[in-house]
Amino acid sequence: MTLRLDQIQIRDPYVLTRPSSGDYLLFGSTDKNIWSGQATGFDCYRSSDLLTWEGPLEAFRPQRGFWSQEQYWAPEVHEYRGRFYMFATFIAPGRLRGTQILAADKPAGPYEPWSDGPVTPGNWQCLDGTLHVDEGGTPWIVFCHEWKQVHDGAMMAQRLSPDLRSAVGVPVFLFSASEAPWSRALDVPSVRDREFPVYVTDGPFLFRLSSGKLLMLWSSFGDTGYAMGLARSESGTVLGPWTQEAEPLWGTDGGHGMIGRHLDGSLFLTLHQPNKTPYERATVFPLLELEDTVTLAGVLPAERLT
């Protein structure tokens, strides 16, 4: 089936560009209701132009006995050492939310469990893990320690074993959601009576500029709803310290995105908008790379850093 982006319900879009085959694969949270009920799995879509897509293709379907049966979120696919690895978030009754790593020989799957359950801490509420390989070749998972447990959502980094099967050492704190000048406390009925304000961290994605500087794209809530901002590592490494840009890269009811490359090498930004089920759709915007940041093409960066 051939579909336009506005015909595909999807959250947390992630695009894998494949120059060798001249196409793109789109992954994301693709169940009709990702918030409750029996989960189906993850689908992906294939395109040669980012405009029309073939699919859905079954990227992951849980085998009998898989530990999680609901709320399958935010799959990202990374090529690493000749194989393809999906970082995806799961939960189950009696177990806390976490990111598990799946693997496949082909980028579209089918993916099967690779790590033994989540590689994020078992006693933490975690989500949205992404892979970062540092300049020394060490793999890391960068993930969110969820606001449901810590109130002010935290961004964390954790070293992984070279085969991506397990965590190594202890998680390292990077920053809290409230550190971003654009981030606002969550204002919904379920949290208004809490003793402390709630700040959300979602969807980290790391990107190294041609200048060598390291950026992190991440999402929270701003003045006009769900939003996505940028942080920059002052050391050029995943450990930071991280400085937050003053204004969101995208501030209008959309977020949880990533930076990708067109087949010609130019950059694009993809994110989902709006942020309400079942209306979420992936959108793609041209992106301009500067010396120390990125900006939407045609939009001059404002006063960026605090």
Side-chain angles (χ1 to χ4, degrees):
M1 182 182 300
T2 300
L3 301 167
R4 302 185 310 270
L5 277 180
D6 63 7
Q7 296 175 301
I8 301 172
Q9 180 189 345
I10 192 168
R11 293 181 65 90
D12 320 321
Y14 188 93
V15 176
L16 182 67
T17 302
R18 304 197 300 164
S20 61
S21 54
D23 62 6
Y24 308 88
L25 291 176
L26 170 65
F27 299 87
S29 304
T30 50
D31 280 339
K32 296 300 181 184
N33 182 0
I34 68 165
W35 310 110
S36 64
Q38 179 71 35
T40 299
F42 296 120
D43 291 332
C44 73
Y45 298 82
R46 179 181 290 112
S47 175
S48 60
D49 58 9
L50 294 177
L51 298 174
T52 58
W53 298 82
E54 297 175 3
L57 312 172
E58 295 184 0
F60 170 67
R61 294 293 185 269
Q63 295 183 359
R64 184 183 298 275
F66 185 66
W67 67 277
S68 173
Q69 301 298 319
E70 62 180 343
Q71 298 184 15
Y72 290 8
W73 293 358
E76 294 191 1
V77 169
H78 301 265
E79 186 173 4
Y80 175 80
R81 296 188 176 182
R83 293 196 80 200
F84 296 89
Y85 295 88
M86 177 182 283
F87 285 51
T89 299
F90 303 98
I91 195 172
R95 297 184 65 172
L96 299 181
R97 195 184 316 277
T99 293
Q100 181 166 358
I101 301 172
L102 317 176
D105 293 323
K106 298 179 180 180
Y111 284 85
E112 297 181 351
W114 181 250
S115 64
D116 183 14
V119 293
T120 48
N123 60 341
W124 288 12
Q125 288 273 28
C126 303
L127 73 165
D128 295 351
T130 187
L131 175 66
H132 171 69
V133 180
D134 67 24
E135 292 185 305
T138 299
W140 297 76
I141 182 173
V142 177
F143 65 93
C144 302
H145 191 181
E146 197 174 11
W147 61 268
K148 291 185 177 181
Q149 194 172 44
V150 296
H151 304 290
D152 193 355
M155 199 66 72
M156 309 295 299
Q158 169 80 62
R159 282 195 301 130
L160 296 174
S161 60
D163 61 5
L164 304 188
R165 282 196 181 271
S166 59
V168 175
V170 297
V172 179
F173 171 81
L174 303 182
F175 59 83
S176 294
S178 64
E179 293 180 35
W182 57 268
S183 178
R184 301 291 179 264
L186 187 62
D187 184 20
V188 296
S190 61
V191 302
R192 285 175 188 154
D193 293 334
R194 293 200 176 202
E195 181 180 358
F196 303 101
V198 164
Y199 290 85
V200 172
T201 44
D202 275 351
F205 177 82
L206 280 75
F207 181 79
R208 193 171 297 280
L209 297 168
S210 300
S211 64
K213 295 179 180 178
L214 185 63
L215 299 181
M216 186 192 302
L217 193 67
W218 66 283
S219 295
S220 188
F221 285 84
D223 288 332
T224 54
Y226 203 47
M228 186 166 52
L230 283 167
R232 186 175 67 235
S233 171
E234 296 303 319
S235 68
T237 74
V238 68
L239 298 180
W242 291 89
T243 302
Q244 304 294 328
E245 295 205 351
E247 300 293 334
L249 179 64
W250 184 270
T252 310
D253 194 26
H256 197 129
M258 55 86 69
I259 298 171
R261 289 194 181 275
H262 291 281
L263 291 169
D264 66 7
S266 60
L267 299 183
F268 65 83
L269 175 73
T270 184
L271 56 98
H272 75 249
Q273 64 169 159
N275 192 45
K276 183 178 180 180
T277 301
Y279 307 107
E280 310 96 320
R281 299 294 184 269
T283 51
V284 177
F285 303 96
L287 202 60
L288 180 65
E289 179 176 350
L290 304 178
E291 173 70 18
D292 60 358
T293 191
V294 292
T295 187
L296 293 173
V299 180
L300 294 176
E303 187 89 22
R304 294 194 305 273
L305 295 175
T306 58

